[in-house]
Amino acid sequence: MTTISEVIRHSRKKKTDGTWNVQIRVTVDRKSGYLETQHWVSAKQIKKQGKTYVLKDPFIINLIAPELAKYRDMISALDLG
């Protein structure tokens, strides 16, 4: 089963202005890959959840949602089941 979600890899990709790149995590068989997006967020727009950081800003979440849906549709079209 493949899962897709948006994440912030807090320890990586931090710019000098204190922002992080929003990435899309694709997980298959417990192995993850990351796709960078054009969106950057500050510390006020994220929260820690377990070992990762996730978005809490509804504006950014709504911007990312269509991209996540696109990837989910592409995976569903593959019909790997």
Side-chain angles (χ1 to χ4, degrees):
M1 181 173 163
T2 304
T3 59
I4 296 182
S5 61
E6 72 277 354
V7 295
I8 290 78
R9 296 173 74 190
H10 201 264
S11 62
R12 299 177 185 250
K13 304 288 183 187
K14 183 178 180 181
K15 288 176 36 177
T16 55
D17 65 358
T19 59
W20 293 270
N21 183 245
V22 177
Q23 298 182 339
I24 296 174
R25 179 177 55 210
V26 180
T27 305
V28 180
D29 295 329
R30 296 183 181 223
K31 294 181 179 141
S32 297
Y34 297 88
L35 304 168
E36 291 186 0
T37 67
Q38 63 184 3
H39 306 288
W40 293 82
V41 293
S42 67
K44 290 188 240 178
Q45 296 171 298
I46 60 176
K47 64 181 175 182
K48 188 168 185 173
Q49 186 175 20
K51 294 182 180 181
T52 62
Y53 287 79
V54 295
L55 296 172
K56 70 176 184 181
D57 185 349
F59 178 75
I60 299 293
I61 292 170
N62 288 335
L63 285 176
I64 298 291
E67 197 167 346
L68 291 175
K70 178 183 79 170
Y71 286 117
R72 288 178 179 135
D73 289 343
M74 289 189 320
I75 290 169
S76 294
L78 293 174
D79 192 27
L80 299 175

Coordinates of all heavy atoms in Angstrom, one line a residue:
M1 N 0.8 -1.2 0.0 CA 0.0 0.0 0.0 C 0.9 1.2 0.0 O 1.9 1.3 0.7 CB -0.9 0.0 1.2 CG -1.8 1.2 1.3 SD -2.9 0.9 2.7 CE -3.5 2.5 2.9
T2 N 0.5 2.2 -0.8 CA 1.3 3.5 -0.9 C 0.6 4.6 -0.1 O -0.7 4.7 -0.3 CB 1.4 3.8 -2.4 OG1 2.0 2.8 -3.1 CG2 2.2 5.1 -2.5
T3 N 1.3 5.3 0.6 CA 0.7 6.5 1.3 C 1.4 7.7 0.9 O 2.6 7.7 0.6 CB 0.8 6.4 2.8 OG1 2.2 6.3 3.2 CG2 0.0 5.2 3.3
I4 N 0.7 8.8 0.8 CA 1.2 10.1 0.4 C 0.8 11.2 1.5 O -0.4 11.2 1.8 CB 0.7 10.5 -1.0 CG1 1.2 9.5 -2.0 CG2 1.1 11.9 -1.3 CD1 0.9 9.8 -3.4
S5 N 1.7 12.0 1.9 CA 1.4 13.0 2.9 C 2.4 14.2 2.7 O 3.5 14.0 2.2 CB 1.4 12.5 4.3 OG 2.7 12.0 4.6
E6 N 2.0 15.3 3.2 CA 2.9 16.5 3.2 C 3.7 16.5 4.5 O 3.1 16.2 5.6 CB 2.1 17.8 3.0 CG 1.3 18.3 4.2 CD -0.1 17.6 4.3 OE1 -0.5 16.9 3.4 OE2 -0.7 17.9 5.3
V7 N 5.0 16.8 4.4 CA 5.8 16.9 5.6 C 6.8 18.0 5.5 O 7.1 18.5 4.4 CB 6.6 15.5 5.9 CG1 5.7 14.4 6.2 CG2 7.5 15.2 4.7
I8 N 7.4 18.3 6.6 CA 8.5 19.3 6.7 C 9.7 18.5 7.3 O 9.6 18.1 8.5 CB 8.2 20.5 7.5 CG1 7.1 21.4 6.8 CG2 9.4 21.4 7.7 CD1 5.8 21.0 6.9
R9 N 10.7 18.4 6.6 CA 11.9 17.7 7.2 C 12.7 18.8 7.8 O 13.5 19.5 7.3 CB 12.7 17.0 6.0 CG 11.8 15.9 5.4 CD 12.4 15.3 4.2 NE 13.6 14.4 4.6 CZ 14.4 13.9 3.7 NH1 14.3 14.2 2.5 NH2 15.4 13.2 4.1
H10 N 12.5 18.9 9.1 CA 13.0 20.1 9.9 C 14.5 20.2 10.0 O 15.0 21.2 10.0 CB 12.4 19.9 11.4 CG 12.4 21.2 12.1 ND1 13.4 21.5 13.0 CD2 11.5 22.2 12.1 CE1 13.2 22.7 13.5 NE2 12.0 23.2 13.0
S11 N 15.1 19.0 9.9 CA 16.6 19.1 10.0 C 17.3 19.3 8.6 O 18.5 19.5 8.5 CB 17.1 17.7 10.5 OG 16.7 16.7 9.7
R12 N 16.5 19.4 7.6 CA 17.0 19.6 6.2 C 16.4 20.8 5.5 O 15.3 21.2 5.9 CB 16.8 18.3 5.4 CG 17.4 17.1 5.9 CD 17.0 15.9 5.0 NE 17.5 14.7 5.6 CZ 18.5 14.0 5.1 NH1 19.1 14.4 4.0 NH2 18.9 12.9 5.7
K13 N 17.0 21.3 4.5 CA 16.5 22.3 3.6 C 16.0 23.6 4.3 O 15.1 24.2 3.9 CB 15.3 21.7 2.9 CG 15.6 20.4 2.1 CD 16.4 20.8 0.9 CE 16.6 19.5 0.1 NZ 17.6 19.7 -1.0
K14 N 16.6 23.9 5.4 CA 16.3 25.2 6.1 C 17.1 26.3 5.4 O 18.3 26.2 5.3 CB 16.6 25.2 7.6 CG 16.2 26.4 8.3 CD 16.5 26.3 9.8 CE 16.1 27.6 10.5 NZ 16.4 27.5 11.9
K15 N 16.3 27.3 5.0 CA 17.0 28.5 4.3 C 17.5 29.4 5.4 O 17.1 29.3 6.6 CB 16.0 29.2 3.4 CG 15.6 28.4 2.2 CD 14.6 29.0 1.3 CE 14.5 30.5 1.1 NZ 13.5 30.9 0.1
T16 N 18.3 30.3 5.0 CA 18.9 31.3 6.0 C 17.8 32.2 6.6 O 18.0 32.8 7.6 CB 20.0 32.1 5.3 OG1 19.4 32.8 4.1 CG2 21.2 31.3 4.9
D17 N 16.7 32.4 5.9 CA 15.6 33.2 6.5 C 14.7 32.5 7.5 O 13.7 33.0 7.9 CB 14.8 33.8 5.4 CG 14.0 32.8 4.5 OD1 14.1 31.6 4.8 OD2 13.2 33.2 3.6
G18 N 15.1 31.2 7.8 CA 14.4 30.4 8.8 C 13.1 29.7 8.3 O 12.3 29.4 9.1
T19 N 13.0 29.5 7.0 CA 11.9 28.7 6.4 C 12.3 27.4 5.9 O 13.5 27.1 5.6 CB 11.2 29.5 5.3 OG1 12.2 29.7 4.3 CG2 10.7 30.8 5.8
W20 N 11.4 26.5 5.9 CA 11.6 25.1 5.4 C 10.7 24.8 4.2 O 9.6 25.3 4.1 CB 11.2 24.1 6.5 CG 12.1 24.1 7.7 CD1 13.3 23.4 7.9 CD2 11.9 24.9 8.9 NE1 13.8 23.7 9.1 CE2 13.0 24.6 9.7 CE3 11.0 25.8 9.3 CZ2 13.1 25.2 11.0 CZ3 11.1 26.4 10.5 CH2 12.2 26.1 11.3
N21 N 11.2 23.9 3.3 CA 10.5 23.5 2.2 C 9.4 22.5 2.6 O 9.7 21.5 3.3 CB 11.5 22.9 1.2 CG 10.8 22.5 -0.1 OD1 10.8 21.3 -0.4 ND2 10.3 23.4 -0.8
V22 N 8.2 22.6 2.0 CA 7.2 21.6 2.2 C 7.4 20.5 1.2 O 7.6 20.8 0.0 CB 5.8 22.2 2.0 CG1 4.7 21.2 2.1 CG2 5.5 23.4 3.0
Q23 N 7.5 19.3 1.7 CA 7.8 18.2 0.8 C 6.6 17.2 0.9 O 5.9 17.1 1.8 CB 9.1 17.5 1.2 CG 10.3 18.4 1.1 CD 11.6 17.7 1.5 OE1 11.6 16.7 2.1 NE2 12.7 18.3 1.0
I24 N 6.5 16.4 -0.2 CA 5.5 15.3 -0.2 C 6.3 14.0 0.0 O 7.2 13.7 -0.7 CB 4.8 15.3 -1.6 CG1 4.0 16.6 -1.7 CG2 3.9 14.1 -1.7 CD1 3.4 16.8 -3.1
R25 N 5.8 13.3 1.0 CA 6.4 12.0 1.3 C 5.6 10.9 0.7 O 4.4 10.8 0.9 CB 6.5 11.8 2.8 CG 7.1 10.4 3.2 CD 7.2 10.2 4.7 NE 5.9 10.4 5.3 CZ 5.8 10.9 6.6 NH1 6.9 11.2 7.3 NH2 4.6 11.0 7.1
V26 N 6.3 10.0 -0.1 CA 5.6 8.9 -0.7 C 6.2 7.6 0.0 O 7.5 7.4 -0.1 CB 5.9 8.8 -2.2 CG1 5.2 7.6 -2.8 CG2 5.4 10.1 -2.9
T27 N 5.4 6.8 0.6 CA 5.9 5.7 1.3 C 5.3 4.4 0.7 O 4.1 4.3 0.5 CB 5.5 5.7 2.8 OG1 5.9 7.0 3.4 CG2 6.1 4.6 3.6
V28 N 6.2 3.5 0.4 CA 5.8 2.2 -0.2 C 6.6 1.1 0.6 O 7.9 1.2 0.6 CB 6.1 2.1 -1.7 CG1 5.7 0.7 -2.2 CG2 5.4 3.2 -2.4
D29 N 6.0 0.1 1.1 CA 6.7 -0.9 1.8 C 7.7 -0.4 2.8 O 8.8 -0.9 2.9 CB 7.4 -1.9 0.8 CG 6.4 -2.6 0.0 OD1 5.3 -2.9 0.4 OD2 6.8 -2.9 -1.2
R30 N 7.3 0.5 3.6 CA 8.1 1.1 4.7 C 9.3 1.9 4.2 O 10.2 2.2 5.0 CB 8.4 0.1 5.8 CG 7.3 -0.5 6.5 CD 7.7 -1.4 7.5 NE 6.5 -2.0 8.2 CZ 6.4 -2.1 9.5 NH1 7.4 -1.8 10.3 NH2 5.3 -2.6 10.0
K31 N 9.4 2.2 3.0 CA 10.5 3.0 2.4 C 9.9 4.3 1.9 O 8.9 4.3 1.1 CB 11.2 2.2 1.3 CG 11.9 1.0 1.8 CD 12.6 0.3 0.7 CE 13.3 -0.9 1.4 NZ 13.2 -2.1 0.6
S32 N 10.5 5.4 2.3 CA 10.0 6.7 1.9 C 10.9 7.4 0.9 O 12.1 7.3 1.0 CB 9.8 7.6 3.1 OG 8.9 7.0 4.0
G33 N 10.2 8.2 0.0 CA 10.9 9.1 -0.9 C 10.2 10.5 -0.7 O 9.1 10.6 -0.3
Y34 N 10.9 11.5 -1.0 CA 10.4 12.9 -0.8 C 10.5 13.7 -2.1 O 11.5 13.6 -2.9 CB 11.2 13.6 0.3 CG 11.1 12.9 1.6 CD1 12.0 11.9 1.9 CD2 10.2 13.2 2.5 CE1 11.9 11.2 3.2 CE2 10.1 12.6 3.7 CZ 10.9 11.6 4.0 OH 10.8 11.0 5.3
L35 N 9.4 14.4 -2.4 CA 9.3 15.3 -3.5 C 9.2 16.7 -3.0 O 8.4 17.0 -2.2 CB 8.1 15.0 -4.3 CG 7.9 13.5 -4.8 CD1 6.5 13.3 -5.4 CD2 9.0 13.3 -5.9
E36 N 10.1 17.6 -3.5 CA 10.0 19.0 -3.0 C 8.9 19.7 -3.7 O 8.5 19.4 -4.9 CB 11.3 19.7 -3.3 CG 12.5 19.2 -2.5 CD 13.8 20.0 -2.7 OE1 13.8 20.9 -3.5 OE2 14.8 19.6 -2.0
T37 N 8.3 20.7 -3.0 CA 7.3 21.5 -3.6 C 7.9 23.0 -3.7 O 9.0 23.2 -3.2 CB 6.0 21.6 -2.8 OG1 6.3 22.2 -1.5 CG2 5.5 20.2 -2.5
Q38 N 7.1 23.9 -4.3 CA 7.5 25.3 -4.4 C 7.2 26.1 -3.1 O 7.4 27.3 -3.1 CB 6.9 25.9 -5.6 CG 5.4 25.9 -5.5 CD 4.7 26.5 -6.7 OE1 5.4 26.8 -7.7 NE2 3.4 26.7 -6.7
H39 N 6.6 25.4 -2.1 CA 6.1 26.1 -0.9 C 7.1 26.1 0.2 O 7.7 25.0 0.5 CB 4.8 25.5 -0.5 CG 3.8 25.5 -1.6 ND1 3.1 26.6 -2.1 CD2 3.3 24.4 -2.3 CE1 2.3 26.2 -3.0 NE2 2.4 24.9 -3.2
W40 N 7.2 27.2 0.9 CA 8.1 27.3 2.0 C 7.3 27.8 3.2 O 6.4 28.7 3.1 CB 9.3 28.3 1.7 CG 10.2 27.7 0.7 CD1 10.0 27.7 -0.7 CD2 11.4 27.0 0.9 NE1 11.0 27.1 -1.3 CE2 11.9 26.6 -0.4 CE3 12.1 26.7 2.0 CZ2 13.1 25.9 -0.5 CZ3 13.3 26.0 1.9 CH2 13.8 25.6 0.6
V41 N 7.6 27.3 4.4 CA 6.9 27.7 5.6 C 7.8 28.1 6.7 O 8.9 27.7 6.8 CB 5.9 26.6 6.1 CG1 4.8 26.3 5.1 CG2 6.7 25.3 6.4
S42 N 7.3 28.9 7.7 CA 8.0 29.4 8.8 C 7.7 28.5 10.0 O 6.8 27.7 9.9 CB 7.7 30.8 9.1 OG 6.4 31.0 9.5
A43 N 8.3 28.7 11.1 CA 8.1 27.9 12.3 C 6.7 28.1 12.8 O 6.1 27.2 13.5 CB 9.1 28.3 13.4
K44 N 6.0 29.2 12.6 CA 4.7 29.5 13.1 C 3.6 28.6 12.3 O 2.5 28.5 12.8 CB 4.3 30.9 12.9 CG 5.0 31.9 13.9 CD 4.4 33.2 13.8 CE 5.5 34.2 13.4 NZ 5.0 35.6 13.2
Q45 N 4.0 28.2 11.1 CA 3.1 27.4 10.3 C 3.2 25.9 10.4 O 2.5 25.2 9.7 CB 3.3 27.8 8.8 CG 3.0 29.3 8.5 CD 3.5 29.7 7.2 OE1 4.7 29.6 6.8 NE2 2.5 30.1 6.3
I46 N 4.0 25.4 11.3 CA 4.2 24.0 11.4 C 4.1 23.6 12.9 O 4.2 24.4 13.8 CB 5.6 23.5 10.9 CG1 6.7 24.2 11.6 CG2 5.6 23.8 9.4 CD1 8.1 23.7 11.2
K47 N 3.9 22.3 13.1 CA 3.8 21.7 14.5 C 4.5 20.4 14.5 O 4.5 19.7 13.4 CB 2.4 21.6 15.0 CG 1.5 20.7 14.3 CD 0.1 20.6 14.8 CE -0.7 19.7 13.9 NZ -2.1 19.7 14.4
K48 N 5.0 20.0 15.6 CA 5.7 18.7 15.7 C 4.7 17.6 16.0 O 3.8 17.7 16.8 CB 6.7 18.7 16.8 CG 7.6 17.4 16.8 CD 8.8 17.6 17.7 CE 9.6 16.3 17.6 NZ 10.9 16.4 18.3
Q49 N 4.8 16.5 15.2 CA 3.9 15.4 15.4 C 4.7 14.1 15.3 O 5.2 13.7 14.3 CB 2.8 15.3 14.3 CG 1.8 14.3 14.5 CD 0.7 14.4 13.4 OE1 0.9 15.0 12.3 NE2 -0.4 13.8 13.7
G50 N 5.0 13.5 16.5 CA 5.9 12.4 16.6 C 7.3 12.9 16.3 O 7.8 13.8 16.9
K51 N 7.9 12.2 15.3 CA 9.3 12.6 14.9 C 9.4 13.6 13.8 O 10.4 14.0 13.4 CB 10.1 11.3 14.6 CG 10.3 10.4 15.7 CD 11.1 9.2 15.3 CE 11.3 8.2 16.5 NZ 12.2 7.1 16.1
T52 N 8.2 13.9 13.2 CA 8.2 14.8 12.0 C 7.4 16.0 12.4 O 6.8 16.2 13.4 CB 7.6 14.1 10.8 OG1 6.2 13.8 11.1 CG2 8.3 12.8 10.4
Y53 N 7.5 17.0 11.5 CA 6.8 18.2 11.6 C 5.8 18.3 10.4 O 6.0 17.8 9.3 CB 7.7 19.4 11.4 CG 8.6 19.6 12.6 CD1 9.7 18.9 12.9 CD2 8.3 20.6 13.6 CE1 10.5 19.1 14.0 CE2 9.0 20.8 14.7 CZ 10.2 20.0 14.9 OH 10.9 20.2 16.0
V54 N 4.6 18.7 10.8 CA 3.5 18.8 9.8 C 2.9 20.2 9.8 O 3.2 21.0 10.7 CB 2.4 17.8 10.1 CG1 2.9 16.3 10.0 CG2 1.8 18.0 11.5
L55 N 2.2 20.5 8.7 CA 1.6 21.8 8.5 C 0.4 22.0 9.5 O -0.4 21.1 9.7 CB 1.1 21.9 7.1 CG 2.1 21.9 6.0 CD1 1.4 21.8 4.7 CD2 3.0 23.1 6.1
K56 N 0.3 23.2 10.0 CA -0.9 23.6 10.8 C -1.6 24.8 10.2 O -2.7 25.1 10.5 CB -0.5 23.8 12.2 CG 0.2 25.1 12.5 CD 0.4 25.3 14.0 CE 1.1 26.6 14.3 NZ 1.4 26.8 15.7
D57 N -1.0 25.4 9.2 CA -1.6 26.6 8.5 C -2.6 26.1 7.5 O -2.2 25.5 6.5 CB -0.4 27.4 7.9 CG -0.9 28.7 7.3 OD1 -2.2 28.9 7.1 OD2 -0.1 29.5 6.9
P58 N -3.9 26.4 7.6 CA -4.9 26.0 6.7 C -4.7 26.5 5.2 O -5.0 25.8 4.3 CB -6.2 26.5 7.2 CG -5.9 27.1 8.5 CD -4.4 27.2 8.7
F59 N -4.1 27.7 5.1 CA -3.8 28.3 3.8 C -2.9 27.4 3.0 O -3.1 27.0 1.9 CB -3.3 29.7 3.9 CG -3.0 30.3 2.6 CD1 -4.0 30.8 1.8 CD2 -1.6 30.4 2.2 CE1 -3.7 31.4 0.6 CE2 -1.3 31.0 1.0 CZ -2.4 31.5 0.2
I60 N -1.8 27.0 3.6 CA -0.8 26.1 3.0 C -1.3 24.7 2.7 O -1.1 24.1 1.7 CB 0.5 26.1 3.8 CG1 1.1 27.5 4.0 CG2 1.5 25.1 3.2 CD1 1.7 28.1 2.7
I61 N -2.1 24.2 3.7 CA -2.7 22.9 3.5 C -3.6 22.9 2.3 O -3.6 21.9 1.5 CB -3.5 22.5 4.8 CG1 -2.5 22.3 5.9 CG2 -4.3 21.3 4.5 CD1 -3.1 22.1 7.3
N62 N -4.4 24.0 2.1 CA -5.2 24.0 0.9 C -4.5 24.2 -0.4 O -4.9 23.8 -1.4 CB -6.2 25.2 1.1 CG -7.3 24.9 2.1 OD1 -7.6 23.7 2.4 ND2 -7.9 25.9 2.7
L63 N -3.3 24.8 -0.3 CA -2.5 24.9 -1.5 C -1.9 23.6 -1.9 O -1.7 23.3 -3.1 CB -1.3 25.9 -1.3 CG -1.7 27.4 -1.3 CD1 -0.4 28.2 -0.9 CD2 -2.2 27.8 -2.6
I64 N -1.5 22.8 -0.9 CA -0.9 21.5 -1.2 C -1.9 20.4 -1.5 O -1.6 19.4 -2.3 CB -0.1 21.0 0.1 CG1 1.0 22.0 0.4 CG2 0.5 19.6 0.0 CD1 2.1 22.0 -0.6
A65 N -3.1 20.5 -1.1 CA -4.2 19.5 -1.3 C -4.3 19.0 -2.7 O -4.4 17.8 -3.0 CB -5.5 19.9 -0.7
P66 N -4.4 20.0 -3.7 CA -4.6 19.5 -5.1 C -3.4 18.7 -5.6 O -3.6 17.7 -6.4 CB -4.7 20.8 -5.9 CG -5.1 21.8 -4.9 CD -4.5 21.4 -3.6
E67 N -2.2 19.1 -5.2 CA -1.0 18.3 -5.6 C -1.0 16.9 -5.0 O -0.7 15.9 -5.7 CB 0.2 19.1 -5.1 CG 1.5 18.6 -5.8 CD 2.6 19.6 -5.6 OE1 2.4 20.7 -5.2 OE2 3.8 19.2 -5.9
L68 N -1.4 16.8 -3.7 CA -1.5 15.4 -3.1 C -2.6 14.6 -3.9 O -2.4 13.4 -4.1 CB -1.9 15.6 -1.6 CG -0.9 16.1 -0.7 CD1 -1.4 16.3 0.7 CD2 0.4 15.3 -0.7
A69 N -3.7 15.2 -4.2 CA -4.8 14.5 -4.9 C -4.3 14.0 -6.3 O -4.6 12.9 -6.7 CB -6.0 15.4 -5.0
K70 N -3.5 14.9 -6.9 CA -3.0 14.5 -8.2 C -2.1 13.2 -8.1 O -2.3 12.3 -8.9 CB -2.2 15.6 -8.8 CG -1.5 15.3 -10.2 CD -0.7 16.5 -10.6 CE 0.6 16.4 -9.9 NZ 1.7 17.3 -10.4
Y71 N -1.2 13.2 -7.1 CA -0.4 12.0 -7.0 C -1.2 10.8 -6.6 O -0.9 9.7 -7.0 CB 0.7 12.3 -5.9 CG 1.8 13.2 -6.4 CD1 2.1 14.4 -5.9 CD2 2.6 12.8 -7.5 CE1 3.1 15.3 -6.4 CE2 3.6 13.6 -8.0 CZ 3.8 14.8 -7.4 OH 4.8 15.7 -7.9
R72 N -2.2 11.0 -5.7 CA -3.0 9.9 -5.3 C -3.8 9.3 -6.5 O -4.0 8.1 -6.6 CB -4.0 10.3 -4.2 CG -3.2 10.5 -2.9 CD -4.1 11.0 -1.8 NE -3.4 11.1 -0.5 CZ -3.5 12.1 0.3 NH1 -4.4 13.1 0.0 NH2 -2.8 12.2 1.4
D73 N -4.3 10.2 -7.3 CA -5.0 9.7 -8.5 C -4.1 8.9 -9.5 O -4.5 7.9 -10.0 CB -5.6 10.9 -9.3 CG -6.8 11.5 -8.6 OD1 -7.3 10.9 -7.7 OD2 -7.1 12.7 -8.9
M74 N -2.8 9.4 -9.6 CA -1.9 8.7 -10.5 C -1.6 7.3 -9.9 O -1.5 6.3 -10.7 CB -0.6 9.5 -10.6 CG -0.8 10.7 -11.5 SD 0.7 11.7 -11.9 CE 1.8 11.6 -10.5
I75 N -1.4 7.2 -8.6 CA -1.2 5.9 -8.0 C -2.4 5.0 -8.1 O -2.2 3.8 -8.5 CB -0.8 6.1 -6.5 CG1 0.6 6.7 -6.5 CG2 -0.8 4.7 -5.8 CD1 1.1 7.2 -5.1
S76 N -3.6 5.5 -8.0 CA -4.8 4.7 -8.1 C -4.9 4.2 -9.5 O -5.4 3.1 -9.8 CB -6.0 5.5 -7.7 OG -6.0 5.8 -6.4
A77 N -4.6 5.0 -10.5 CA -4.7 4.7 -11.9 C -3.7 3.5 -12.3 O -4.0 2.7 -13.2 CB -4.4 5.8 -12.8
L78 N -2.7 3.3 -11.5 CA -1.7 2.2 -11.8 C -2.3 0.9 -11.4 O -2.0 -0.1 -12.0 CB -0.4 2.4 -11.0 CG 0.4 3.6 -11.3 CD1 1.6 3.7 -10.4 CD2 1.0 3.5 -12.8
D79 N -3.3 0.9 -10.5 CA -4.0 -0.4 -10.1 C -3.0 -1.5 -9.8 O -3.0 -2.5 -10.5 CB -5.0 -0.8 -11.2 CG -6.0 -1.8 -10.7 OD1 -6.2 -1.9 -9.4 OD2 -6.5 -2.6 -11.5
L80 N -2.2 -1.3 -8.8 CA -1.2 -2.3 -8.5 C -1.7 -3.4 -7.7 O -0.9 -4.4 -7.4 CB 0.0 -1.6 -7.7 CG 0.7 -0.4 -8.5 CD1 1.7 0.2 -7.6 CD2 1.4 -1.0 -9.7
G81 N -2.9 -3.4 -7.3 CA -3.5 -4.4 -6.4 C -3.7 -5.7 -7.1 O -3.4 -6.8 -6.9

